[in-house]
Every structure is written in structure tokens, then in C-alpha cells.
Amino acid sequence: MTDSARSLGSRLSAVLAEVYPDLDADILASMVLDAFWPEGTTRRKRGRIAGNTLWSERDALLITYGNSIVDGAHKPLDLLNDFLHRYLRGTLNSVHILPFFPYTSDDGFAVSDFRAVNPQLGDWPDINRIAADFTLMSDLVLNHVSSQGNWFNAYRQGQAPYDKFFFEASPQDDLREVVRPRTTPLLQEVETSSGPRHVWCTFSHDQIDLDFRNPEVLLEFLRIIRLHVDNGVQIIRLDAVAFLWKQIGTPSIHLPQTHAIIRLMRLLCDYAPEKIILLTETNVPKAENLSYFGAGDEAHAIYNFPLPPLILHAMMSGNGAHLRRWQRTMPPAPMGCAYLNFTASHDGIGMRPAEGLLPEDEKQQVIDTVLQVGGLVSMRSLPDGGQSPYELNTTFYDALSRTFKGEDDHHHARFICSQTIVMSLEGIPAFYIHAMLATPNDHAQVEHRGMSRAINRHRWDYPSLRDRLADASSAQARVLGDLSARLKVRQKQKAFHPNATQFTVNLQDDRVFGVWRQSLDRKQSIFALHNVSDASVAISAAALNLIEDQPWLDLISGDLIDASADHITLAPYQCMWITNRF
């Protein structure tokens, strides 16, 4: 064994000893290596050194289901590929296709076969074609599987190794501290060949939690990651990873073993010759979310989950004070890491990340306003038996159709401002397809499917969508056009590199949210200003410290900025990217 192999093996053994202290860590390390690098594959001699070269200012991501666009005649993945090339090539270079595997519920997150593409969408060659032209993200739904899939059926029949793949508990166990994202019962009684058993169901009774105390479960998911990578996937999204490790008598969230398993996966990715980025999906308050960076040795990227509720509040209230206060306390991502910034996703707008950031009365104002525009609220169970708002179910576009004051004529400008903030901040910007397409709330789907989240999971008929995009006056054409134009400007600015320096600008007027970005080589500065209100606002030019002997330009409007002027005025919901290099 070479020195580099020994180094990797010993590092794997050290992590595995934390997770499985009663097993032989060296033997497990060899099994891990064989699972991730089967015969015929190779690995790097040395692990990647943490740096900022895995991404650049050119990166922006589209989030979509494989069948968000349909026509009843062609494979949805072919239609998605056509849409990407026809409307977004040169605007976005990455795409997250939400679970594209066979499934039984939760729009793909109750996976019944991790190794196949859902035939209603297409097949692996269709995935490969998209991955050839776009950086592709796939979901590793590693906390649970479908109750109707082969793994759980084999478990119920007592077939090895699946007979030890699922987490069992007893109704008599102390489960009061368990953190839940849902209100359904945690345990479900099922019949097995060995008699009745109670299995753990964090999310629903069709989603049975796996038991990572069995290392065979971990090894199987490493093989699945390898399958994804071999099919062109470059970003692995670790879905619901915070709940991965369970322990009776604890909250069963964020446990040390979970973090150790992510460190193990990161170590393997760092030795892979392919570019593999790990993204953790942890819809939790700030400190818990940040913990998934570890010491720069866990996730490459984490979702910036407080952003959606904070931006929503700022745009509805016309006041960016809470957004600014939060942003001032956010640390830069560690070396080799990045934030993923977004407002809208398939899951709605999470409210847990707003805990401690928005006062309860203002949080309730946001909820009430969403309800007024036809949105819905999903609840979660609390340890004391009560319930609390977990997420708002609405499209982000419809959510911003009114403010705390009511409806007005600024809907389009307000929405574009909200998305421009996402583009301006440190990190990689991501956009849900229904944000890019100004999709309204789909109440018919909620009624048809009996699921609140369906309100934000519309399926566009492609011919109808193309007609709307050809109509310059439609909301779809206007939003896609404006967002695309800003993204094309953004991707040329070194100061918008995901790891470029960022400082929150301390403006006196809470109606304007601003950040200063500086390129890694310190040559370009951008002052990104966003008026989150329905009024024109004049801010002191001196507050930006613009160097007077340099020319400054607003990249969005194309207007020159006089650094010696007393004030800079922003129209309602106007955004400016004021730069010294153009």
C-alpha cells in the first residue's frame, strides 16, 4: 500500500472509529474504499487542498423537477433539456433535478429504487445529456426510503442484509425530545416475518427511516453516490441529512455521528478525480445550519436557509433592518466552502430558520400576508405536544403580490428586487424554476393531490409556456427576461465570486439593504444596493466611501455614478450594482 493510500485509509479509519466504535475500523475503511472506488475506477494520490476553485462568479443554479415542464407527448427530461438550452443557456450553468428516481409519494422523496431513473421522466441517457452541458445536482435521499420499495419489502420478509436496514423503536421508549418536521406519528407498526415491529418515520409513514448504525447502509449509499458520479452528477445534495442518526432519549437531530459521516463523505470526495461537491439540506436555525461546514471538512456548501423568510419579510414590510442585522452576523464561508443562496424552493419558505431573527409579531404578519394571497401554512409538532409553523406554502412570486400595506402596482419590481438580493450576496445563487417563470399558486393541484406543497409544484404545459414566453407583456416573459439580463451581467463580475469579500453596508435608512463585495484579487469593488420599499429613497453617497478619482458605474442601469454627489437616489424597489471596473 502506498503512503497516500495509507494516509487516506488511516483518515477513514479514524472517522469510522467515531461512528462505529465497536467494529474494526481498518476493515471498514477497506470496505468503504471498495464501495466508493470499485474495480476499474481510480482516485487521486492526494486529497484536494481546500480552495475557492470549485466554483466561480459564472455559477448559478436552476432548481426544478424532472417534470416541471410537460406536453403529454415527449419525455419530460427531453423537454427540460430543450428548455434549458432554448431559454437559459448562457444565463445559468447548473441545474438541480429534484429526485428523478422511481418513487411512491412526496414528489420523489419516497424513493423506491435508487439506481433507476423514473421511466415517466426518461432514462439515464437523458440525464447524461443534461449533465454534458450543465453542472448537474442530484438528490441523495439518505434518511429514508419508500415503504413500498424493494428494500423495505425485503426487510419485512426478513431478507438479509435488509432485515437490519431500518430503525426500530418501541412506543414505550422516551421519544419526547425527538425533533419533528411533521405532525404525523413518529412510529408506525408494521408486520414482518418476525412479528410486529415499530419503525421510525421522521417525515411520513411512506418514508421509513434507515438505520445507519448498520455500516452496510452507509456502504450502499457510497455505491449509489458512485453511480451518480459515473452518470455525470457533480453536486450531491444530502437530503434531510440532519436526521440521519437516531438515538433513543435524544432529539435525534445533528448528532455527532451524522457529522462524522458527512466528514467521511467529504474525505472521499476530496480524493475523487471528478469534481464532487457535497451540499447539505438542513432547514434549521442559523447556528445549527452553519455547523455543517464543520471545520471546513464537512459540506462544501450549505443552503442559506434564513434568506427566504428574511427577504420575504423585508419586501413585505419595506424594512431591511432584520435582514441587515442577520447578514452582519454571518461569517464568511470557510476556505473550500460556500453558501447556496435562494428564496424559493420546492418545499416552500421554511420558518424555523427565522427563529430568533424575526420578532414573533412580525413573523405572524408575514404568515397572515401569505394567507391573504392564497398561500398555506404547514405545521410541525413540538416536544410539549403543541404545534408551530414549519413552512409557508406559496410560490415566492405570488407571496410578493402584496405587502403588509396591501396590494399595489409594484409587484414585478418587488419580486425582481428580491431575486437580485440573492444574486448580490456571498455564495452561489439558486433559483427555483417557478420563481424564474413567475408561476402563480396552483390551488387546483392542492385540491387534486391533497398536499399543501403542491401549490408550489405546478407543471407547465410546454406549448402554453412557450406562448407566454413569446409574449413580451406576460409575467413569465418579463420575469425571465429581467432575471436573465441581471444574471448575464453578474457572471462577468469578479466581485461576485462566491468567496469574494463581503461587508454589510451600514446605511442609516432601513429601507435600503446594501453589501460591499470585493474581488479576490482586490481589483473590483461592487456596492450592491437594494431598495426594499415602495418609496424613493436618497442615501448619502459618503456612506459608500466611493473613491472620487475613479469612475463608477451602475451595472444594472448603465448609468455613471458621481462619487462626489451628496446623495444617491433609488426608485421604489430599485437595485444598483455600483462598480469601479467596467
Side-chain angles (χ1 to χ4, degrees):
M1 185 182 291
T2 64
D3 289 343
S4 60
R6 275 196 296 269
S7 173
L8 174 58
S10 63
R11 294 172 69 185
L12 287 173
S13 295
V15 178
L16 288 163
E18 296 180 41
V19 183
Y20 306 107
D22 297 329
L23 300 177
D24 188 311
D26 292 336
I27 293 176
L28 275 180
S30 295
M31 296 171 70
V32 163
L33 292 172
D34 289 341
F36 200 72
W37 285 290
E39 186 176 353
T41 57
T42 59
R43 60 176 179 263
R44 295 167 58 98
K45 293 182 178 179
R46 294 178 178 81
R48 285 187 180 83
I49 298 174
N52 50 35
T53 59
L54 287 175
W55 37 69
S56 77
E57 60 277 4
R58 301 190 65 82
D59 290 312
L61 182 96
L62 180 76
I63 305 166
T64 181
Y65 280 101
N67 60 355
S68 291
I69 299 173
V70 295
D71 68 358
H74 299 87
K75 291 184 290 186
L77 286 174
D78 278 349
L79 296 179
L80 174 60
N81 194 31
D82 182 83
F83 174 78
L84 289 168
H85 282 84
R86 188 183 299 269
Y87 296 105
L88 293 177
R89 192 73 187 269
T91 299
L92 295 159
N93 65 355
S94 307
V95 58
H96 171 202
I97 306 178
L98 289 151
F100 48 77
F101 320 104
Y103 71 98
T104 54
S105 65
D106 198 18
D107 283 343
F109 286 94
V111 178
S112 56
D113 186 347
F114 286 95
R115 297 183 172 277
V117 174
N118 182 352
Q120 295 181 349
L121 301 178
D123 207 341
W124 281 114
D126 305 305
I127 294 292
N128 302 153
R129 278 191 288 276
I130 294 173
D133 295 321
F134 294 87
T135 299
L136 179 62
M137 182 196 299
S138 70
D139 285 279
L140 193 69
V141 186
L142 74 175
N143 179 70
H144 49 261
V145 301
S146 168
S147 67
Q148 303 169 58
N150 291 336
W151 289 10
F152 194 63
N153 286 333
Y155 159 82
R156 295 181 68 173
Q157 295 168 22
Q159 297 176 10
Y162 305 105
D163 57 335
K164 295 181 174 60
F165 259 42
F166 296 91
F167 198 94
E168 299 176 353
S170 166
Q172 282 70 51
D173 288 331
D174 183 2
L175 305 175
R176 290 172 297 177
E177 292 187 40
V178 174
V179 172
R180 297 297 313 288
R182 301 288 187 270
T183 57
T184 52
L186 176 62
L187 300 183
Q188 176 185 184
E189 183 176 338
V190 297
E191 289 295 329
T192 75
S193 59
S194 301
R197 294 287 186 272
H198 288 87
V199 291
W200 194 287
C201 304
T202 297
F203 290 89
S204 80
H205 282 188
D206 189 39
Q207 294 164 295
I208 315 298
D209 283 38
L210 292 153
D211 189 352
F212 275 83
R213 294 175 303 179
N214 177 2
E216 289 294 336
V217 176
L218 172 62
L219 293 172
E220 185 60 23
F221 275 103
L222 296 180
R223 298 183 190 104
I224 292 167
I225 293 177
R226 170 50 54 191
L227 173 68
H228 289 206
V229 171
D230 288 347
N231 278 282
V233 172
Q234 296 185 49
I235 307 173
I236 303 290
R237 177 182 182 268
L238 302 181
D239 176 67
V241 68
F243 301 97
L244 182 146
W245 197 273
K246 289 87 176 162
Q247 186 172 325
I248 305 300
T250 75
S252 292
I253 187 172
H254 313 311
L255 294 185
Q257 295 90 337
T258 293
H259 287 279
I261 287 174
I262 298 171
R263 290 205 309 275
L264 181 144
M265 291 180 174
R266 170 67 179 268
L267 184 57
L268 295 173
C269 292
D270 286 346
Y271 274 84
E274 308 92 347
K275 181 176 82 169
I276 309 175
I277 294 172
L278 288 180
L279 170 69
T280 50
E281 187 264 332
T282 51
N283 192 355
V284 293
K286 170 187 165 183
E288 299 166 41
N289 193 34
L290 288 172
S291 72
Y292 285 87
F293 279 141
D297 56 357
E298 293 187 29
H300 292 93
I302 64 171
Y303 283 88
N304 218 341
F305 274 111
L307 261 185
L310 287 174
I311 289 180
L312 186 65
H313 172 271
M315 307 310 300
M316 285 181 169
S317 66
N319 188 314
H322 295 306
L323 176 63
R324 182 180 70 246
R325 188 177 302 112
W326 163 77
Q327 187 60 69
R328 286 172 59 185
T329 67
M330 285 293 287
M335 180 64 73
C337 300
Y339 294 107
L340 188 76
N341 298 323
F342 72 111
T343 57
S345 78
H346 65 291
D347 278 345
I349 302 164
M351 294 305 290
R352 281 211 67 202
E355 293 174 6
L357 301 177
L358 290 178
E360 288 301 316
D361 60 333
E362 296 188 50
K363 191 188 303 182
Q364 189 59 50
Q365 276 188 287
V366 171
I367 293 171
D368 292 342
T369 305
V370 166
L371 291 173
Q372 288 168 6
V373 301
L376 304 168
V377 181
S378 294
M379 309 297 286
R380 69 183 183 95
S381 295
L382 300 175
D384 63 4
Q387 295 185 358
S388 175
Y390 180 69
E391 69 180 13
L392 307 179
N393 301 117
T394 176
T395 67
F396 212 82
Y397 181 75
D398 262 13
L400 289 182
S401 63
R402 66 185 295 136
T403 68
F404 293 166
K405 298 177 182 178
E407 295 182 358
D408 57 25
D409 295 327
H410 297 297
H411 184 192
H412 177 81
R414 185 161 50 243
F415 180 74
I416 297 300
C417 178
S418 74
Q419 304 306 296
T420 305
I421 293 174
V422 171
M423 300 182 202
S424 302
L425 296 177
E426 175 195 345
I428 302 166
F431 305 89
Y432 189 35
I433 190 169
H434 295 306
M436 294 291 291
L437 295 176
T439 306
N441 287 331
D442 193 335
H443 296 285
Q445 279 296 311
V446 174
E447 184 175 352
H448 175 67
R449 301 176 62 191
M451 181 175 67
S452 295
R453 285 179 167 179
I455 199 171
N456 191 30
R457 298 179 181 180
H458 180 71
R459 293 174 185 169
W460 278 102
D461 173 69
Y462 199 25
S464 299
L465 175 61
R466 291 194 59 190
D467 287 344
R468 294 201 185 197
L469 292 176
D471 177 2
S473 66
S474 73
Q476 286 67 44
R478 294 176 66 208
V479 167
L480 183 62
D482 285 353
L483 294 182
S484 296
R486 292 192 183 184
L487 282 166
K488 287 177 180 177
V489 171
R490 181 191 182 279
Q491 65 185 224
K492 298 176 183 178
Q493 314 307 320
K494 296 292 186 183
F496 282 143
H497 185 285
N499 300 118
T501 298
Q502 174 174 292
F503 286 104
T504 307
V505 181
N506 190 23
L507 300 171
Q508 296 301 310
D509 197 313
D510 290 337
R511 293 173 294 179
V512 179
F513 171 70
V515 293
W516 172 64
R517 304 295 307 279
Q518 185 182 56
S519 59
L520 296 171
D521 62 9
R522 302 182 69 180
K523 292 181 179 179
Q524 183 185 33
S525 286
I526 293 179
F527 292 90
L529 306 177
H530 317 85
N531 181 359
V532 300
S533 79
D534 60 359
S536 292
V537 180
I539 63 170
S540 169
L544 301 183
N545 293 319
L546 299 180
I547 300 172
E548 291 193 13
D549 60 357
Q550 287 188 358
W552 294 87
L553 176 78
D554 173 18
L555 292 166
I556 295 177
S557 68
D559 295 336
L560 288 170
I561 302 298
D562 183 0
S564 63
D566 290 334
H567 295 92
I568 295 173
T569 301
L570 290 89
Y573 301 109
Q574 182 181 358
C575 301
M576 289 184 172
W577 287 340
I578 301 173
T579 185
N580 61 330
R581 291 182 71 88
F582 48 90

